Every structure is written in structure tokens, then in C-alpha cells.
Amino acid sequence: MPVADVPAAPAGTSRSTSATIQPNILRYLTSVAFERGVDLRPHLEQVGLDETLMRSAALRVSYRQGSAVIRRALELTGDAHLGMKVGAAQHLTAWGLLGFALMASEDLRQAAETGVTYQNLSGAMVVWSAGEEDGGFAIRADLPDPAMDPGVAVFLIEEALTSAVTLARLTVGPEFAPRVAEFAFPAPAPAPTHSDPYGAFFGCPVRFGVPVSRVVIDPGWARAPMPGRDPVTFASALETLDEQMTSRRHHQELLEVMEISIAQSLPVVPSFAEQARRHTASERTLRRRLADCGTTYEALVDGVRRERVEQLLRRPELTLRDIAHQAGFSDERTLRRAVRRWHGTSSRRFREEVLGAEGPARG
């Protein structure tokens, strides 16, 4: 099932700036929304993702980009269970070589454990884990940031557990059902039709407000053989996945270290020459390494500043002058231009939106 490794956020940055996630969820989200009469392409373009980029196998997106598009899709569709729709629409082929490895696994348990091991390569936006629990085999999904927007959080957990069950049914049989499905968010309000989309989809008892989001699978299902199992193909796929993991880890660590360096230095932005010195590399070498990661130093600085501004705008006691200074802008005017470029609206309007129009914004 699609899974993604999201390490705990280091001090100074939430790691949402770096573009390190394959956009599989956004591709399926775009398709599902379009079927409901909602065109997400303009909103993808607002966060720098046009149609050409979305078709690129090399494309990586950031948590910021993914969350922004998901939030807008929820608003436009008005579908409280959009995450379930997206999860149910998925196929193993979307996950490339990892999906191929899952199909070649010996049984459902090995497929799940393989997905967890190589979750860095799949493109989901949750942290996956798996193991023996309550006399069964549990597949768990945790949020990368407990302070995430509640609507996006529900979407991601719904999408995660729904896609896990969907892909299991595509491989071991449509009659597959977990023993129990649990969600670490409150039970949603009953639908006007009094229908139960969770019970209808999962086909098992469903619980809400529990500590961990998970599905628990009976041992018999965990040992269900995968129809495409092949030990030689499986081993070959893992060898290639190991190589990809090594390359990805190198790129991701570089971006995270540089983001932390920038965030901890604000309001002063370290020069690129200083960053090269810290990495014991020439400026030319460091620029090439960043280019290999699909970014530039200027883009990293812009992303960290944007993240800092969005955090500070949520503090109504700060004026725009205070925020401009703390984020390393020369003056309020420069800050206002940056906010309009990022969000297509004024800093005052954006602040009112994020604060829920709780009162007049200062500055």
C-alpha cells in the first residue's frame, strides 16, 4: 500500500518546504475531483504544479503544496469523505517499482512490511508502520505533524487506510476485510441519509477517537498468498529499491540540513558562500547537488521564509513590521509582495483567513 516515510520535524523547521514527495495522491485527487465537476488544475498551478509537471515521473512536491491543494479540494467539492474516494480509486501500478515489489511479495503481510520498509519511495503523506497487535497484524498510519489542519488530517488518514484496504482487495481478493478499522479523530456527524460510509467500505467494526489510526488484519488474511508472488523477481526489485532509497536519503538530508540552517539563522539569511563552507564544498558543487534535488538555494530560502511568515501571521499580537523583521524581509512592503505572490491575496486578507476572522488584523 502507498506509504511515505516522514521523519519527525527537527527544531527550527517543519520540513514542509522541501519537495520530496511523489505526487501520487494529488494525481488521484485531481481525477476524483474532476469526476465531481471540480477542476483542480488552476489550484495546482497556484502552488507551482502545472499539467506538464504533474505528468513527470521525476516530479516531487512538498507537504505545503500537497496540503494546500487538498484543503482547496475539500472546500470546492464539499465532500467530507473525499479522502476515502481518493484512496478507493488507487492502483498498485501508480507506485512504480514499489508496487511491482508488493505484487511479487509472498503474502499480504510481506507486502505490507515491504511497503513500510520502502515507504520513502511511494508518495503518501503519512507515516506507516506495521506489526503484531491484538492477536492480528496491524497496519498503522500516523500524521507527520499533529498540528496539521484538521480537515487535511482527516483526508490523509482516510486516504491512507482506504488505499491500504483497496490495494489488498486488488491483490488477495475483493472479499478481503480487516477485523477492525480505527481512526484517531472524532466520529464525524451522521450523514443526512444516515448512511455509514466507513462501515460500508471497510466491512468491519469501525472505531473513532482512538490513540492510533490503523486496520487490524486477521492472521489468515495476513498469510494470504499474493497472486503474483515470485521470490526471484521480489529480490531483484528490492535490490533496485535499496539503491533508490540510498539516493533519496542523500538528497533529502541535504535539503533538511539546509532548511534548518536557514530557519535557525533568520532574520539573517546565510549567504550561499557560507552554506558551501558549512558543507565543505565549493559553491559550484553545492549548486549542482541542489539541482540534482530539483531545487535551488533561492527556492529553499523562499520556502523557509514563507513557512516562517505563515506561522507568524497566526499570532495576532504581531504587526506586519514585526513579522517582516523576524522573517528577514527588508520592510513591510517586501513582505506584502511576497504574501501576494505566495497566496494571491493581501497579507491582511490571508491573516484574517488563517485566524478565522476572529478580529481585525493589526499592521
Side-chain angles (χ1 to χ4, degrees):
M1 56 287 313
V3 286
D5 182 25
V6 187
T13 179
S14 73
R15 210 192 65 78
S16 65
T17 299
S18 299
T20 56
I21 309 165
Q22 288 185 333
N24 296 325
I25 290 179
L26 297 189
R27 290 192 179 111
Y28 278 102
L29 174 60
T30 301
S31 175
V32 170
F34 190 76
E35 292 173 358
R36 285 156 177 75
V38 174
D39 186 357
L40 289 179
R41 288 176 296 181
H43 307 288
L44 289 166
E45 291 176 359
Q46 284 182 359
V47 296
L49 302 172
D50 60 26
E51 283 193 89
T52 302
L53 282 173
M54 288 294 288
R55 293 184 182 135
S56 170
L59 176 64
R60 298 295 182 270
V61 300
S62 69
Y63 275 89
R64 180 193 313 285
Q65 289 171 311
S67 297
V69 175
I70 291 168
R71 189 179 299 111
R72 190 63 179 138
L74 290 168
E75 294 171 355
L76 293 172
T77 62
D79 189 338
H81 301 296
L82 189 61
M84 293 184 68
K85 309 294 194 311
V86 173
Q90 297 180 35
H91 300 280
L92 276 168
T93 50
W95 316 115
L97 182 61
L98 177 57
F100 189 62
L102 301 187
M103 290 188 286
S105 300
E106 179 64 25
D107 53 30
L108 188 59
R109 175 175 181 145
Q110 187 180 61
E113 291 173 340
T114 301
V116 170
T117 299
Y118 296 97
Q119 56 184 282
N120 237 0
L121 303 175
S122 69
M125 296 171 66
V126 297
V127 183
W128 287 92
S129 57
E132 298 286 344
E133 291 182 6
D134 298 336
F137 183 72
I139 302 173
R140 300 180 295 270
D142 292 299
L143 294 171
D145 181 0
M148 181 179 291
D149 175 276
V152 175
V154 170
F155 174 96
L156 291 178
I157 293 299
E158 282 189 351
E159 184 278 332
L161 296 189
T162 302
S163 65
V165 172
T166 296
L167 299 182
R169 287 172 177 162
L170 289 173
T171 52
V172 299
E175 67 278 10
F176 169 81
R179 176 191 298 172
V180 65
E182 298 181 328
F183 295 87
F185 53 76
T193 59
H194 302 290
S195 62
D196 175 15
Y198 296 96
F201 175 80
F202 289 98
C204 65
V206 179
R207 302 172 187 149
F208 297 93
V210 297
V212 178
S213 298
R214 65 177 186 168
V215 289
V216 180
I217 302 170
D218 283 326
W221 276 120
R223 294 191 297 269
M226 300 290 280
R229 60 191 183 280
D230 186 304
V232 175
T233 300
F234 179 71
S236 177
L238 294 195
E239 184 177 344
T240 304
L241 288 171
D242 283 333
E243 295 173 357
Q244 292 181 5
M245 282 280 285
T246 299
S247 174
R248 178 179 172 82
R249 187 177 299 115
H250 171 72
H251 289 171
Q252 189 166 336
E253 287 176 356
L254 172 64
L255 297 179
E256 290 178 0
V257 168
M258 295 195 72
E259 285 183 359
I260 293 170
S261 173
I262 297 165
Q264 292 180 338
S265 299
L266 288 178
V268 177
V269 177
S271 68
F272 189 72
E274 172 63 16
Q275 292 285 17
R277 186 190 65 78
R278 294 178 184 179
H279 286 80
T280 61
S282 68
E283 293 183 41
R284 181 177 180 179
T285 297
L286 186 55
R287 286 197 187 279
R288 184 176 66 249
R289 291 178 63 191
L290 289 175
D292 290 341
C293 297
T295 191
T296 65
Y297 185 57
E298 293 74 19
L300 287 180
V301 171
D302 191 60
V304 173
R305 275 178 162 165
R306 174 175 176 171
E307 185 173 353
R308 179 64 57 85
V309 167
E310 290 173 357
Q311 292 170 346
L312 296 176
L313 283 171
R314 287 172 167 82
R315 296 174 53 186
E317 76 277 10
L318 297 178
T319 66
L320 290 184
R321 179 177 299 178
D322 296 331
I323 294 171
H325 170 72
Q326 293 187 38
F329 289 99
S330 58
D331 51 37
E332 291 179 46
R333 181 178 300 176
T334 308
L335 170 65
R336 293 177 192 275
R337 286 201 298 265
V339 171
R340 185 168 292 279
R341 172 167 56 85
W342 295 328
H343 297 286
T345 188
S346 70
S347 52
R348 181 183 298 276
R349 177 68 178 275
F350 179 74
R351 169 175 262 186
E352 290 174 348
E353 291 176 354
V354 298
L355 293 177
E358 295 175 354
R362 297 174 59 193

